[in-house]
Structures are given as C-alpha cells and as structure tokens.
Amino acid sequence: MRWKKNWKYTLRNKNVLFLLPSLAGVTFFVMVPFAKVVLSSFCTAMSGEFVGIKNYATVLRNSAFRLAAANTLRFMAAGLPLLLILSLGLALMIHRKPVYDRYKYLYLLPMAVPAATMVLVWKLLFSEQGFLNRALGTHVDFLGEKSAFLILVISYLWKNLGYTVVLWLAGLKSIPGEIIDAAKVDGAGKVQVFFKVTLPCLKGSMFTILVVSILNSFKAFREVYLVGGAYPQKSIYMIQNVFNNWYVNLEQDKLAAGAVLLVAVLGTVSFLLRRQWDRED
C-alpha cells in the first residue's frame, strides 16, 4: 500500500496546493479534450457509431497520409542532424569568445519573424520572377519543384538555429571549468576534451534540445500552407496538410485517429530517448 502512503504525504504537503491550479488547467484544457479525441477515433464522424479500429486502418491505408508521413520523416531526418551539428558548432565558437555573447538577443530574432514575412521572402527569392531566377536568367518556380523541400529545410534551420544556439550556450556555461582544466592538465587535447568531457556534460541539454527541435519541426507547416495552400508540391506535403484537409472536409473520425497515432509516435520516441539517456547515465 505504498501508493496510499505517498498520496497521504502529498495531501499533507502544503506545497502541492501551488500545483493544483496548473494541474486543473492541464486536466481541463488538455487531458479531457484529448480523451474525447481518443474516444472519437473509435467512432464514425456523423452517427457516432462505434467501429473499433476501422478509422485507424483507413488512415494507415490512405495514400495522402502515407505520403505526408514519409515527407515529415524525411524532413526531420534532414533538418534535425543539421540543426544540432550547426548550432553546437556555433555555440562552441561563441563560448570560446565571450565577446559574441553580448549579442545573444540577436540570435533569437529569426523566431520573432512572422510566418507571413518568411513566405514573402520565399516568393521574392524563389518564384518565377524572383531574385534567384533573375540571377540565373531562368524562369523556374522553385517553390513548385522538388527544390521546395530544400528551401523548407533551409528555412527551418534559419528560424531555429539561433534559439538552439542559446540552449547549447546555457549547457556549456553549466560545465564547471575545473573539470576541463583538470583534463587539460592530464594531457588531453581539444578533441579529447570535447568528446570525453564537454559532450558527456551536455547530455541533459542535448535531450531537451532534441525534443524541442522535433516539436519545432512541426511548426514548418505554416510556411508550407501559406506558400502552397492545402495541396502544395508533393515533396513538402506534410502531416499537418493532411490534418488540415480532413478538418476542412469534416472527416473528424480520420482526423481523430491520425492525431492519436501522431501522439503515440511522438510519445514513444520521447520515452525511448529518455530511457536511452537514463541508461547511459
């Protein structure tokens, strides 16, 4: 009956009272609506008739959903490693030269740029009458070709690079200087210090940055939608495009099943990452 003792201790602890408002908000605005979505995923949209896992089977067989899932995975596979490597390299360079730390607020400016402004820049650069076509003397709509995927990855890097650099800097500053000095005294070179001391000390920050970067990758839908509408070029047709089209077409049953599948996948990935991090510790 250990859980009863823990529950009684929690009730006696007055500090838990400060958590009740947040817990009530999360329960009312997040958990309850999501429970409704889970229930809806097993029913038809119009009649509410229980159909079991039929909606899930329909979603998994849907060609648009499979295309969007493949594009989303490809986008994350291309964008995440580049973001982590580039941001860590810049953070190390800035950390070694504290003078650059004065301009930390500038690194966050890309996140303050509205999506509509980014789309305008895309069109000015990559449309048929854009700057790139004028420079090359061509008339290619890069936003309507497979090159749109590369443009999307570059946009994701530009928008999230500065924010990720700030997170890396916070982790680097938390590493005690005595540890690095001791490693240098023992004869470790710069490469050995990085892989044997710095990188292991950044494991906690790395997990947070990885999870945040995965979540931010789903926000690229705003630019995609404003550029290509509900049905953009196939290489940038993402999961959010499918959900948006199902919502517009009132296909709430498929939308609910797709949302539950997405939460299950993201939850599983986060759990496995957390477990791997804890196991290595």
Side-chain angles (χ1 to χ4, degrees), residues 126-143:
F126 304 113
S127 65
E128 290 186 16
Q129 305 298 326
F131 176 79
L132 187 58
N133 275 302
R134 292 178 183 177
L136 298 176
T138 57
H139 296 280
V140 179
D141 183 10
F142 292 99
L143 297 176

Side-chain angles (χ1 to χ4, degrees), residues 135-208:
L136 298 176
T138 57
H139 296 280
V140 179
D141 183 10
F142 292 99
L143 297 176
E145 303 291 335
K146 290 184 178 180
S147 56
F149 180 80
L150 177 60
I151 296 171
L152 181 62
V153 172
I154 294 174
S155 174
Y156 169 73
L157 293 176
W158 177 82
K159 188 148 193 171
N160 294 280
L161 189 61
Y163 176 73
T164 311
V165 166
V166 172
L167 293 179
W168 281 123
L169 285 173
L172 288 170
K173 290 184 177 180
S174 66
I175 301 175
E178 295 80 2
I179 299 179
I180 296 178
D181 293 337
K184 291 180 179 179
V185 169
D186 290 339
K190 292 182 178 180
V191 176
Q192 290 177 314
V193 169
F194 174 74
F195 285 103
K196 299 295 185 181
V197 179
T198 304
L199 206 56
C201 290
L202 289 174
K203 283 182 60 179
S205 300
M206 191 183 303
F207 175 78
T208 302

